[in-house]
Amino acid sequence: MSSHREAPEISKDPVADNADVYAFVSPDNPSTVTIITNFVPLQEPAGGPNFYEFGDDVAYSIYIDNDGDGTPEISYVFRFHTAVRDPNTFLYNVGPINSIGDPNWNRRQFYSVTRVEGADTTIYGTAAANPPPVRHGKHHKHHHHHHKPKLKARVLGSGLACPPCNIGPHSIPNYAPIESQAIHTLGGGIKVFAGQRREGFYVDLGAVFDLADLRPFQAAFGVPPALASGPGVDDTKALNIHSIAIQVPITQLTANGKAPSGMTDPHAVIGVWSAASRRLVRIIDSANDAKHESGPWVQVSRLGNPLINEVVIPMGRKDYWNGQYPAQDKQFLNDYKVPELSKLLPALYPGVF
């Protein structure tokens, strides 16, 4: 579910801001699961000349926990790179774009998808960047504890094209065929898509954060100033977001590799969340207009349950929460048990709650 701009630091880093997660049995193919995770929230469609895109320096991960321990046994990692045809123009496109490979499209994005399997795949980036030392000798007979869990990583696809942003009718006369060309079929019955979409999460942000002034109940609750009750306003209706979508056979996600026999099958439930990570160190060379990232990956944003970080975790811990894993969520137990909103509502709506 959804949390847009939910923490102070991540709100300043939109390309890594994990805004939505959806996971469901695919209506078009019930033997598969579709997982959608969104980033770069609240985009103005007319966002030129530098239209919105994924971060080339961000690792986007979708995590699957299929044994209920709060750590993922499977992850799908998406990495993006931007290709510019002509750096000597300010234009995103130098003419109409009629296909996903149109030479008029100047600034394009491509991506790779890697499946990682292991006892805890959240350490994939860290393990790849910083192999742990191996100690030998009788003084270190427990040296195996210094090893990271064994991981198996397999690239499912690379050089996969994102669609262009839908700039307007002169630049893209017919968008539908191009977005269809951006749905890529990989081996093993997997499909992926990554690119700009219309924001699909209905939320009255203006009212909710105006001290929970919920429009449908204003007159009934008598909140001063008591406005006439009215329907909620969809504040994201005319905004865009960047989606990563993957459709995967259910048998590739369950712990036993089989389709569950029914809802009571112990393998019928999986945990799904997603995250964005950045390298620990970023170096900027202003003289040469160059940037370099190094070191292990550090998680900077995550999302699974709806609105937890947005309205349950207090401001001073929000960015810290974004860097934690579900297996560590016991440390936030008091925030879950006594959410601040439950104490605010009786004060905001006397005699109602």
Side-chain angles (χ1 to χ4, degrees), residues 127-342:
N130 279 350
V134 179
R135 301 181 179 183
H136 299 282
K138 62 183 180 181
H139 298 297
H140 301 285
K141 63 182 179 180
H142 298 297
H143 64 272
H144 60 277
H145 290 162
H146 297 279
H147 286 286
K148 303 281 187 188
K150 275 192 173 180
L151 297 174
K152 184 172 72 173
R154 181 165 55 95
V155 177
L156 303 179
S158 60
L160 305 169
C162 298
C165 292
N166 193 2
I167 302 161
H170 285 187
S171 290
I172 306 180
N174 191 1
Y175 188 72
I178 300 175
E179 65 181 351
S180 296
Q181 292 166 13
I183 300 171
H184 302 284
T185 300
L186 309 179
I190 296 174
K191 290 183 179 180
V192 291
F193 171 91
Q196 191 183 61
R197 299 281 80 194
R198 176 183 163 181
E199 168 65 83
F201 188 76
Y202 189 116
V203 58
D204 193 344
L205 283 171
V208 167
F209 291 105
D210 185 15
L211 294 178
D213 191 8
L214 307 178
R215 293 179 215 263
F217 309 113
Q218 284 170 328
F221 289 179
V223 181
L227 304 175
S229 295
V233 174
D234 185 3
D235 282 325
T236 66
K237 181 179 180 179
L239 300 177
N240 290 327
I241 202 154
H242 264 59
S243 294
I244 295 172
I246 185 167
Q247 190 176 79
V248 187
I250 291 171
T251 54
Q252 295 182 25
L253 301 180
T254 54
N256 63 355
K258 297 178 181 178
S261 57
M263 287 188 293
T264 57
D265 188 321
H267 298 292
V269 176
I270 59 172
V272 179
W273 71 101
S274 68
S277 301
R278 286 190 171 280
R279 293 280 194 167
L280 182 65
V281 178
R282 188 186 195 204
I283 301 168
I284 301 175
D285 180 359
S286 59
N288 297 304
D289 190 30
K291 300 177 182 66
H292 178 72
E293 290 85 25
S294 64
W297 291 98
V298 178
Q299 180 177 293
V300 296
S301 183
R302 63 156 168 151
L303 194 64
N305 289 339
L307 300 175
I308 292 298
N309 201 7
E310 196 156 313
V311 298
V312 173
I313 306 301
M315 187 180 295
R317 304 184 83 194
K318 283 178 179 293
D319 285 294
Y320 173 73
W321 186 93
N322 264 339
Q324 303 299 295
Y325 303 136
Q328 301 162 341
D329 274 351
K330 188 176 181 180
Q331 61 186 305
F332 305 104
L333 184 61
N334 287 338
D335 298 320
Y336 285 78
K337 288 171 70 174
V338 189
E340 185 182 6
L341 194 60
S342 68

Side-chain angles (χ1 to χ4, degrees), residues 40 43-54 90-93 105 107 109 164-168 171 196 240 242:
V40 204
Q43 300 175 20
E44 165 59 47
N50 296 294
F51 290 91
Y52 296 91
E53 61 190 19
F54 292 103
F90 74 89
L91 292 166
Y92 181 79
N93 55 299
W105 182 16
R107 187 176 178 90
Q109 273 203 314
C165 292
N166 193 2
I167 302 161
S171 290
Q196 191 183 61
N240 290 327
H242 264 59

